[in-house]
Amino acid sequence: MEHTCVVGLGWGDEGKGKIVDMLCPAFDVVVRYNGGANAGHTVRAGGEAFALHLLPTGVLHRNTVGVIGPGVVVDPIALLAETDALIARGIPAGDRLRISDRAHLVMPYHLLEDRLSESNLDGSNRIGTTARGIGPCYADKMRRTTAVRMIDLVELDRLKPALTRIVGQKRRVLEAAYGAAEELDAERLFEGLRSVADRLAPLVCDTSLFLESEMASGRKLLFEGANGMLLDIDHGTYPYVTSSQTGPQGVASGAGVSPWIVQRRIGVTKAYSTRVGEGPFPTELTDATGERIREQGHEYGTTTGRPRRCGWLDAVAIRRSVRLGGISEIALTHLDTLSGFERVGIAVGYRLEGRLIDTMPADPEVLARVEPELETLAGWEGDIRGVKQIADLPSGAQSFIARIEELMEIPVEIVSVGADRQQTVFRTRHWRDLIRTRAHT
């Protein structure tokens, strides 16, 4: 069994949480390596729904350790709230959690800065941030002199003078930039950190060494990406992106492992495309069809509750993610959402000023002007949520999957036909047999 990563091929919300959760029995450690509380992974099992933002999905499994790597930015208040919510439901999440001593802290002033920055932009310039302080925290990470890390919770008394200096600087900057009336109080922020330090400090360690030890003992690692590859800071639809590396290329630095560790790279995509927030979206459907997809797919954000923009599958965009990530196989989700459509669409190219192009322009204004070259396929009828084999899917659904494989030039190995863990179809026996053999949930 190889170390594996699961990443989103689109603009997030692809269903990574379900895929990771379903694969967890085959692994011993699940590692989050990027993003922060702006992520939203929803898992449904046994009639219950779990919404995870910072915690690795593996904490839902009693024999799996969850690791938050150095590439993640951690809001300690949000993390404890999420942990306590699971404990209240009988899941001792904190008992199986390790947090990198090098991970950076999202502080209250980051949330304030995020909110003020976004609200001071006009509609055409807004990024569509979740206002969780992620971007400002990553900015401080790069600025270095205004950063706070998890190791500082362990050495809390040494942090106090630095925090006083940082807060003074933040107050001056926010007042000058936004005329902010909110008062930031260093003493209050320090006491807030003290209130969480006792609970979090025992979980803090050099997670890179921990993962090295786990691998040396023969344990298998699953790396869980947050956000989607089209939101990658370097390769996404900039500037309408997140602040971290979201694809397999982010695993090495974000988790603290060798670049050669990951042998299998699973890319997750819905059977259609969605996007939350601002930014170009070539296949967006702003008509009754788009609304129907939204309602049938329950397309509302796990983190924000915002309605997602919906459109046909954008094979141009997804193919770019497949290429950049060296994706070895696809997990296709929400196939059941398209049941009942007479025709389903796939964008196989873009038209720009009459020319057919097969790649995404870097300029967001140019990308906003392209028209999708749509290929429509026959749809399918009926409730497919109980299907257990690809061969039992309606012919239209099978043809749709086959066309995706042709366009991506890699196999669709996993197909989700419903929200629950059990509503998953495997193309081959590899994952099914491995999960059965190692099941420990």
Side-chain angles (χ1 to χ4, degrees):
M1 176 58 204
E2 305 99 331
H3 303 301
T4 299
C5 70
V6 174
V7 299
L9 299 177
W11 286 285
D13 309 310
E14 301 93 347
K16 297 181 293 295
K18 176 188 173 174
I19 300 303
V20 171
D21 173 70
M22 186 267 304
L23 294 178
C24 275
F27 295 90
D28 305 289
V29 183
V30 177
V31 188
R32 267 285 304 273
Y33 64 87
N34 77 293
N38 58 337
H41 290 177
T42 301
V43 175
R44 290 180 174 84
E48 291 192 81
F50 302 89
L52 304 177
H53 302 279
L54 268 166
L55 288 170
T57 302
V59 299
L60 297 177
H61 296 251
R62 65 175 179 267
N63 292 330
T64 303
V65 176
V67 171
I68 296 177
V72 179
V73 292
V74 180
D75 181 333
I77 303 299
L79 178 61
L80 283 180
E82 192 172 327
T83 302
D84 287 343
L86 288 181
I87 292 173
R89 298 173 70 174
I91 300 173
D95 295 349
R96 301 187 305 279
L97 181 64
R98 305 287 187 276
I99 308 170
S100 171
D101 50 10
R102 290 167 170 80
H104 284 245
L105 288 181
V106 176
M107 300 291 289
Y109 46 74
H110 290 135
L111 280 75
L112 174 60
E113 183 178 354
D114 208 353
R115 177 171 57 82
L116 291 172
S117 175
E118 188 77 354
S119 64
N120 276 269
L121 296 172
D122 60 41
S124 62
N125 292 314
R126 287 179 180 169
I127 302 299
T129 172
T130 60
R132 298 301 175 98
I134 307 305
C137 183
Y138 274 115
D140 275 350
K141 178 178 180 177
M142 298 304 164
R143 196 175 287 118
R144 293 161 292 174
T145 57
T146 51
V148 180
R149 300 190 300 167
M150 290 301 302
I151 189 63
D152 296 318
L153 290 185
V154 179
E155 304 289 347
L156 194 59
D157 289 337
R158 287 168 42 188
L159 175 62
K160 193 168 186 177
L163 188 61
T164 300
R165 171 183 56 79
I166 293 169
V167 168
Q169 181 176 332
K170 290 292 182 181
R171 290 174 63 180
R172 292 190 296 273
V173 169
L174 292 176
E175 180 64 35
Y178 308 113
E182 289 91 344
E183 286 293 317
L184 295 173
D185 184 273
E187 185 67 32
R188 187 166 65 247
L189 291 183
F190 182 76
E191 290 306 316
L193 289 179
R194 186 188 296 279
S195 70
V196 301
D198 288 345
R199 291 185 61 189
L200 291 180
L203 308 178
V204 176
C205 67
D206 186 335
T207 53
S208 180
L209 287 179
F210 173 77
L211 294 177
E212 183 178 332
S213 174
E214 292 292 285
M215 288 186 287
S217 299
R219 296 183 177 91
K220 297 305 176 183
L221 276 51
L222 179 62
F223 298 92
E224 177 180 13
N227 318 114
M229 288 186 66
L230 296 181
L231 295 176
D232 186 274
I233 185 65
D234 294 314
H235 304 291
T237 50
Y238 193 91
Y240 305 99
V241 294
T242 192
S243 303
S244 61
Q245 292 188 317
T246 59
Q249 62 268 37
V251 171
S253 60
V257 296
S258 163
W260 316 116
I261 289 300
V262 178
Q263 290 96 32
R264 292 186 85 115
R265 295 166 295 279
I266 302 173
V268 187
T269 179
K270 288 173 180 166
Y272 48 92
S273 296
T274 63
R275 180 162 201 167
V276 173
E278 308 300 324
F281 184 2
T283 65
E284 183 173 12
L285 296 166
T286 56
D287 55 9
T289 300
E291 180 64 25
R292 181 180 173 188
I293 292 174
R294 181 181 299 111
E295 294 307 313
Q296 291 189 187
H298 307 291
E299 293 295 352
Y300 296 89
T302 301
T303 300
T304 64
R306 290 182 293 182
R308 296 176 183 137
R309 301 155 64 189
C310 299
W312 295 126
L313 182 66
D314 189 336
V316 181
I318 300 303
R319 190 165 56 231
R320 185 171 191 274
S321 296
V322 167
R323 175 177 61 82
L324 287 171
I327 303 301
S328 55
E329 58 203 87
I330 289 175
L332 182 66
T333 64
H334 278 266
L335 188 65
D336 54 302
T337 296
L338 294 186
S339 289
F341 282 83
E342 184 177 348
R343 306 288 297 181
V344 294
I346 300 178
V348 296
Y350 298 148
R351 288 205 173 272
L352 178 63
E353 298 171 353
R355 295 181 296 111
L356 185 63
I357 60 175
D358 60 0
T359 189
M360 298 185 77
D363 189 329
E365 294 186 10
V366 174
L367 182 58
R369 296 202 309 268
V370 304
E371 294 291 334
E373 182 77 2
L374 284 177
E375 181 176 297
T376 61
L377 291 78
W380 55 92
E381 297 287 342
D383 186 351
I384 64 172
R385 289 175 293 179
V387 170
K388 300 299 182 184
Q389 298 183 59
I390 295 289
D392 294 332
L393 287 169
S395 60
Q398 292 188 50
S399 296
F400 183 73
I401 293 170
R403 184 58 178 141
I404 292 172
E405 291 181 319
E406 289 174 359
L407 291 166
M408 301 303 138
E409 299 181 327
I410 55 174
V412 173
E413 289 288 347
I414 303 170
V415 178
S416 172
V417 294
D420 196 79
R421 280 178 184 167
Q422 306 306 317
Q423 294 171 320
T424 308
V425 181
F426 300 95
R427 190 62 172 272
T428 63
R429 297 171 59 108
H430 173 81
W431 289 116
R432 181 180 64 242
D433 291 351
L434 191 62
I435 291 168
R436 286 176 179 171
T437 301
R438 292 171 51 93
H440 50 228
T441 60

PDB file of all heavy atoms in Angstrom, residues 368-386:
ATOM      1  N   ALA A 368     -12.552  35.484 -17.957  1.00  0.00           N
ATOM      2  CA  ALA A 368     -13.963  35.846 -17.778  1.00  0.00           C
ATOM      3  C   ALA A 368     -14.672  36.054 -19.112  1.00  0.00           C
ATOM      4  O   ALA A 368     -15.913  36.006 -19.163  1.00  0.00           O
ATOM      5  CB  ALA A 368     -14.068  37.101 -16.924  1.00  0.00           C
ATOM      6  N   ARG A 369     -13.908  36.254 -20.185  1.00  0.00           N
ATOM      7  CA  ARG A 369     -14.520  36.510 -21.501  1.00  0.00           C
ATOM      8  C   ARG A 369     -14.674  35.251 -22.346  1.00  0.00           C
ATOM      9  O   ARG A 369     -15.340  35.296 -23.380  1.00  0.00           O
ATOM     10  CB  ARG A 369     -13.681  37.526 -22.291  1.00  0.00           C
ATOM     11  CG  ARG A 369     -13.618  38.909 -21.661  1.00  0.00           C
ATOM     12  CD  ARG A 369     -13.271  39.965 -22.706  1.00  0.00           C
ATOM     13  NE  ARG A 369     -12.090  39.638 -23.487  1.00  0.00           N
ATOM     14  CZ  ARG A 369     -10.853  40.021 -23.185  1.00  0.00           C
ATOM     15  NH1 ARG A 369     -10.642  40.723 -22.075  1.00  0.00           N
ATOM     16  NH2 ARG A 369      -9.828  39.701 -23.957  1.00  0.00           N
ATOM     17  N   VAL A 370     -14.065  34.158 -21.947  1.00  0.00           N
ATOM     18  CA  VAL A 370     -14.146  32.956 -22.789  1.00  0.00           C
ATOM     19  C   VAL A 370     -15.557  32.379 -22.743  1.00  0.00           C
ATOM     20  O   VAL A 370     -16.290  32.536 -21.767  1.00  0.00           O
ATOM     21  CB  VAL A 370     -13.121  31.872 -22.364  1.00  0.00           C
ATOM     22  CG1 VAL A 370     -11.710  32.421 -22.380  1.00  0.00           C
ATOM     23  CG2 VAL A 370     -13.465  31.270 -21.021  1.00  0.00           C
ATOM     24  N   GLU A 371     -15.909  31.692 -23.809  1.00  0.00           N
ATOM     25  CA  GLU A 371     -17.171  30.956 -23.886  1.00  0.00           C
ATOM     26  C   GLU A 371     -16.853  29.468 -23.928  1.00  0.00           C
ATOM     27  O   GLU A 371     -15.969  29.038 -24.677  1.00  0.00           O
ATOM     28  CB  GLU A 371     -17.955  31.348 -25.144  1.00  0.00           C
ATOM     29  CG  GLU A 371     -18.436  32.794 -25.158  1.00  0.00           C
ATOM     30  CD  GLU A 371     -19.523  33.049 -24.127  1.00  0.00           C
ATOM     31  OE1 GLU A 371     -20.234  32.080 -23.780  1.00  0.00           O
ATOM     32  OE2 GLU A 371     -19.656  34.195 -23.670  1.00  0.00           O
ATOM     33  N   PRO A 372     -17.519  28.678 -23.115  1.00  0.00           N
ATOM     34  CA  PRO A 372     -17.207  27.244 -23.104  1.00  0.00           C
ATOM     35  C   PRO A 372     -17.649  26.558 -24.393  1.00  0.00           C
ATOM     36  O   PRO A 372     -18.733  26.835 -24.911  1.00  0.00           O
ATOM     37  CB  PRO A 372     -17.990  26.725 -21.909  1.00  0.00           C
ATOM     38  CG  PRO A 372     -19.138  27.674 -21.760  1.00  0.00           C
ATOM     39  CD  PRO A 372     -18.605  29.016 -22.169  1.00  0.00           C
ATOM     40  N   GLU A 373     -16.798  25.703 -24.907  1.00  0.00           N
ATOM     41  CA  GLU A 373     -17.147  24.837 -26.029  1.00  0.00           C
ATOM     42  C   GLU A 373     -17.768  23.584 -25.418  1.00  0.00           C
ATOM     43  O   GLU A 373     -17.062  22.694 -24.928  1.00  0.00           O
ATOM     44  CB  GLU A 373     -15.900  24.484 -26.839  1.00  0.00           C
ATOM     45  CG  GLU A 373     -16.163  23.618 -28.056  1.00  0.00           C
ATOM     46  CD  GLU A 373     -16.758  24.401 -29.223  1.00  0.00           C
ATOM     47  OE1 GLU A 373     -16.942  25.630 -29.106  1.00  0.00           O
ATOM     48  OE2 GLU A 373     -17.026  23.771 -30.264  1.00  0.00           O
ATOM     49  N   LEU A 374     -19.100  23.540 -25.409  1.00  0.00           N
ATOM     50  CA  LEU A 374     -19.800  22.487 -24.686  1.00  0.00           C
ATOM     51  C   LEU A 374     -20.056  21.262 -25.551  1.00  0.00           C
ATOM     52  O   LEU A 374     -20.450  21.377 -26.712  1.00  0.00           O
ATOM     53  CB  LEU A 374     -21.137  23.002 -24.148  1.00  0.00           C
ATOM     54  CG  LEU A 374     -21.090  23.896 -22.909  1.00  0.00           C
ATOM     55  CD1 LEU A 374     -22.494  24.374 -22.572  1.00  0.00           C
ATOM     56  CD2 LEU A 374     -20.485  23.152 -21.720  1.00  0.00           C
ATOM     57  N   GLU A 375     -19.819  20.123 -24.946  1.00  0.00           N
ATOM     58  CA  GLU A 375     -20.207  18.845 -25.530  1.00  0.00           C
ATOM     59  C   GLU A 375     -21.328  18.299 -24.653  1.00  0.00           C
ATOM     60  O   GLU A 375     -21.182  18.217 -23.424  1.00  0.00           O
ATOM     61  CB  GLU A 375     -18.996  17.906 -25.529  1.00  0.00           C
ATOM     62  CG  GLU A 375     -19.239  16.552 -26.116  1.00  0.00           C
ATOM     63  CD  GLU A 375     -17.946  15.734 -26.146  1.00  0.00           C
ATOM     64  OE1 GLU A 375     -16.994  16.149 -26.834  1.00  0.00           O
ATOM     65  OE2 GLU A 375     -17.887  14.707 -25.465  1.00  0.00           O
ATOM     66  N   THR A 376     -22.456  17.977 -25.248  1.00  0.00           N
ATOM     67  CA  THR A 376     -23.566  17.463 -24.438  1.00  0.00           C
ATOM     68  C   THR A 376     -23.729  15.969 -24.676  1.00  0.00           C
ATOM     69  O   THR A 376     -23.589  15.473 -25.792  1.00  0.00           O
ATOM     70  CB  THR A 376     -24.879  18.185 -24.771  1.00  0.00           C
ATOM     71  OG1 THR A 376     -25.212  17.974 -26.143  1.00  0.00           O
ATOM     72  CG2 THR A 376     -24.764  19.674 -24.485  1.00  0.00           C
ATOM     73  N   LEU A 377     -24.003  15.273 -23.601  1.00  0.00           N
ATOM     74  CA  LEU A 377     -24.187  13.823 -23.635  1.00  0.00           C
ATOM     75  C   LEU A 377     -25.584  13.490 -23.118  1.00  0.00           C
ATOM     76  O   LEU A 377     -26.197  14.279 -22.399  1.00  0.00           O
ATOM     77  CB  LEU A 377     -23.147  13.127 -22.765  1.00  0.00           C
ATOM     78  CG  LEU A 377     -21.677  13.144 -23.216  1.00  0.00           C
ATOM     79  CD1 LEU A 377     -21.025  14.476 -22.906  1.00  0.00           C
ATOM     80  CD2 LEU A 377     -20.901  12.024 -22.530  1.00  0.00           C
ATOM     81  N   ALA A 378     -26.050  12.325 -23.489  1.00  0.00           N
ATOM     82  CA  ALA A 378     -27.347  11.868 -22.999  1.00  0.00           C
ATOM     83  C   ALA A 378     -27.297  11.712 -21.486  1.00  0.00           C
ATOM     84  O   ALA A 378     -26.307  11.223 -20.922  1.00  0.00           O
ATOM     85  CB  ALA A 378     -27.715  10.537 -23.647  1.00  0.00           C
ATOM     86  N   GLY A 379     -28.378  12.153 -20.834  1.00  0.00           N
ATOM     87  CA  GLY A 379     -28.451  12.014 -19.393  1.00  0.00           C
ATOM     88  C   GLY A 379     -28.960  10.648 -18.981  1.00  0.00           C
ATOM     89  O   GLY A 379     -28.939   9.688 -19.762  1.00  0.00           O
ATOM     90  N   TRP A 380     -29.438  10.553 -17.753  1.00  0.00           N
ATOM     91  CA  TRP A 380     -29.943   9.272 -17.267  1.00  0.00           C
ATOM     92  C   TRP A 380     -31.030   9.531 -16.221  1.00  0.00           C
ATOM     93  O   TRP A 380     -31.112  10.605 -15.624  1.00  0.00           O
ATOM     94  CB  TRP A 380     -28.820   8.426 -16.665  1.00  0.00           C
ATOM     95  CG  TRP A 380     -28.044   9.103 -15.566  1.00  0.00           C
ATOM     96  CD1 TRP A 380     -28.285   9.054 -14.230  1.00  0.00           C
ATOM     97  CD2 TRP A 380     -26.894   9.955 -15.737  1.00  0.00           C
ATOM     98  NE1 TRP A 380     -27.368   9.798 -13.543  1.00  0.00           N
ATOM     99  CE2 TRP A 380     -26.499  10.368 -14.440  1.00  0.00           C
ATOM    100  CE3 TRP A 380     -26.157  10.389 -16.840  1.00  0.00           C
ATOM    101  CZ2 TRP A 380     -25.395  11.209 -14.227  1.00  0.00           C
ATOM    102  CZ3 TRP A 380     -25.074  11.215 -16.622  1.00  0.00           C
ATOM    103  CH2 TRP A 380     -24.703  11.615 -15.338  1.00  0.00           C
ATOM    104  N   GLU A 381     -31.862   8.553 -16.040  1.00  0.00           N
ATOM    105  CA  GLU A 381     -32.979   8.639 -15.102  1.00  0.00           C
ATOM    106  C   GLU A 381     -32.763   7.689 -13.925  1.00  0.00           C
ATOM    107  O   GLU A 381     -31.935   6.788 -13.979  1.00  0.00           O
ATOM    108  CB  GLU A 381     -34.299   8.272 -15.805  1.00  0.00           C
ATOM    109  CG  GLU A 381     -34.690   9.210 -16.942  1.00  0.00           C
ATOM    110  CD  GLU A 381     -35.171  10.555 -16.451  1.00  0.00           C
ATOM    111  OE1 GLU A 381     -35.537  10.659 -15.246  1.00  0.00           O
ATOM    112  OE2 GLU A 381     -35.186  11.508 -17.249  1.00  0.00           O
ATOM    113  N   GLY A 382     -33.551   7.902 -12.885  1.00  0.00           N
ATOM    114  CA  GLY A 382     -33.589   6.958 -11.785  1.00  0.00           C
ATOM    115  C   GLY A 382     -32.679   7.319 -10.629  1.00  0.00           C
ATOM    116  O   GLY A 382     -31.743   8.115 -10.756  1.00  0.00           O
ATOM    117  N   ASP A 383     -32.954   6.714  -9.501  1.00  0.00           N
ATOM    118  CA  ASP A 383     -32.182   6.904  -8.282  1.00  0.00           C
ATOM    119  C   ASP A 383     -31.008   5.933  -8.299  1.00  0.00           C
ATOM    120  O   ASP A 383     -31.191   4.716  -8.265  1.00  0.00           O
ATOM    121  CB  ASP A 383     -33.081   6.647  -7.072  1.00  0.00           C
ATOM    122  CG  ASP A 383     -32.388   6.957  -5.751  1.00  0.00           C
ATOM    123  OD1 ASP A 383     -31.169   7.201  -5.752  1.00  0.00           O
ATOM    124  OD2 ASP A 383     -33.082   6.942  -4.713  1.00  0.00           O
ATOM    125  N   ILE A 384     -29.781   6.460  -8.361  1.00  0.00           N
ATOM    126  CA  ILE A 384     -28.601   5.598  -8.455  1.00  0.00           C
ATOM    127  C   ILE A 384     -27.885   5.470  -7.116  1.00  0.00           C
ATOM    128  O   ILE A 384     -26.812   4.863  -7.031  1.00  0.00           O
ATOM    129  CB  ILE A 384     -27.612   6.116  -9.513  1.00  0.00           C
ATOM    130  CG1 ILE A 384     -27.050   7.489  -9.117  1.00  0.00           C
ATOM    131  CG2 ILE A 384     -28.278   6.182 -10.884  1.00  0.00           C
ATOM    132  CD1 ILE A 384     -25.925   7.978 -10.022  1.00  0.00           C
ATOM    133  N   ARG A 385     -28.464   5.990  -6.041  1.00  0.00           N
ATOM    134  CA  ARG A 385     -27.761   6.023  -4.759  1.00  0.00           C
ATOM    135  C   ARG A 385     -27.514   4.645  -4.152  1.00  0.00           C
ATOM    136  O   ARG A 385     -26.649   4.502  -3.286  1.00  0.00           O
ATOM    137  CB  ARG A 385     -28.522   6.911  -3.776  1.00  0.00           C
ATOM    138  CG  ARG A 385     -28.442   8.404  -4.138  1.00  0.00           C
ATOM    139  CD  ARG A 385     -29.309   9.254  -3.230  1.00  0.00           C
ATOM    140  NE  ARG A 385     -30.728   8.961  -3.446  1.00  0.00           N
ATOM    141  CZ  ARG A 385     -31.704   9.552  -2.763  1.00  0.00           C
ATOM    142  NH1 ARG A 385     -31.417  10.446  -1.829  1.00  0.00           N
ATOM    143  NH2 ARG A 385     -32.967   9.243  -3.011  1.00  0.00           N
ATOM    144  N   GLY A 386     -28.226   3.639  -4.611  1.00  0.00           N
ATOM    145  CA  GLY A 386     -28.007   2.297  -4.090  1.00  0.00           C
ATOM    146  C   GLY A 386     -27.133   1.432  -4.969  1.00  0.00           C
ATOM    147  O   GLY A 386     -26.879   0.260  -4.650  1.00  0.00           O
TER     148      GLY A 386
END
